[in-house]
Amino acid sequence: IQLTQSPSSLSASVGDRVTITCRASQGISTFLAWYQQKPGRAPKLLIYAASTLQSGVPSRFSGSGSGTDFTLTISSLQPEDFATYYCQQVDNYPLTFGGGTKVEIK
Amino acid sequence: DVHLVQSGAELKKPGESLKISCKVSGDSFSNHYIGWVRQKPGNGLEWLAVIYPGDSETAYSPSVQGRVTISFDRSVTSVFLHWESLATSDSATYYCARWDYLGPGTQRYFNYWGQGTLVTVSS
């Protein structure tokens, strides 16, 4: 199953609303996660089951979608949110990640 | 608290063998899947393999099937990734992560991560 993320990068300002999309090559129900990765650090799970916020993750992050089309939204971008975001499907093997979206400071 | 602590950076030559480790602490070792994820320099994340110490079940990505072996040692609560013969294309940072059910009716997700092991393969 291939996951296509868009955009591959974006520039935004603190306080902006940011939306990242992830499209699966076939239906995966809601078996999708979103991770945040900062340079030199391991990925961090933000959202699982497409829309469930992992414990400790700020509520400005939200996820939606099912089947083939998914969205990660950051409602009001904060300085610590500048990072790369990846979607991942866990519907079946091989587990796959999207290509990533780098969120940069405008 | 759950912690995954990985072995240190490695510099190897093509054709050499290598085994990197991931020590898991803080919870029942045998009851959780552990997986490996690769990140080549400047690139995205790629899932490689998972293992379930409870029954030794394994699964591999087709991209590495036959080239790497995932294993575990319950006595030291560690999971390993082994290459018999490295190639320059194996140069990457390797992360281990625990693959957990996070709620009823959900699938497993990579919830806890190690700090990463940088593997450099160069002649």
Side-chain angles (χ1 to χ4, degrees), chain A residues 16 18 23 27 29 33 46 57 62 65 69 78 82 87 96-97:
Chain A
D16 283 354
V18 168
R23 174 163 288 176
S29 184
L46 297 178
V57 174
S62 64
D69 293 302
Q78 298 302 300
F82 292 96
C87 56
T96 47
F97 290 89

Side-chain angles (χ1 to χ4, degrees), chain A residues 27-48:
Chain A
I28 56 170
S29 184
T30 57
F31 298 138
L32 186 108
W34 289 98
Y35 297 88
Q36 176 194 66
Q37 188 181 33
K38 296 182 179 179
R41 305 293 299 274
K44 173 187 173 183
L45 179 65
L46 297 178
I47 287 169
Y48 64 93

Side-chain angles (χ1 to χ4, degrees), chain A residues 24-99:
Chain A
S25 59
Q26 65 188 67
I28 56 170
S29 184
T30 57
F31 298 138
L32 186 108
W34 289 98
Y35 297 88
Q36 176 194 66
Q37 188 181 33
K38 296 182 179 179
R41 305 293 299 274
K44 173 187 173 183
L45 179 65
L46 297 178
I47 287 169
Y48 64 93
S51 61
T52 303
L53 203 63
Q54 172 64 333
S55 175
V57 174
S59 59
R60 62 181 178 273
F61 291 93
S62 64
S64 65
S66 67
T68 60
D69 293 302
F70 301 87
T71 299
L72 172 70
T73 300
I74 309 172
S75 60
S76 177
L77 199 64
Q78 298 302 300
E80 59 269 30
D81 301 336
F82 292 96
T84 301
Y85 295 84
Y86 294 93
C87 56
Q88 183 206 21
Q89 68 82 19
V90 294
D91 183 49
N92 55 32
Y93 293 129
L95 310 181
T96 47
F97 290 89

Side-chain angles (χ1 to χ4, degrees), chain A residues 30-33 35 37 40-45 47-50 54 86 88 90-99, chain B residues 33 37 39 43-47 50 57 59-62 95 99 102-103 105-111 113-116:
Chain A
T30 57
F31 298 138
L32 186 108
Y35 297 88
Q37 188 181 33
R41 305 293 299 274
K44 173 187 173 183
L45 179 65
I47 287 169
Y48 64 93
Q54 172 64 333
Y86 294 93
Q88 183 206 21
V90 294
D91 183 49
N92 55 32
Y93 293 129
L95 310 181
T96 47
F97 290 89
Chain B
Y33 283 81
V37 173
Q39 187 166 39
N43 283 14
L45 303 171
E46 179 187 10
W47 171 75
V50 289
E57 174 195 345
Y60 292 90
S61 168
Y95 295 100
W99 198 38
L102 297 181
T106 71
Q107 260 286 18
R108 295 185 184 87
Y109 298 90
F110 287 119
N111 190 23
W113 292 72
Q115 82 277 19

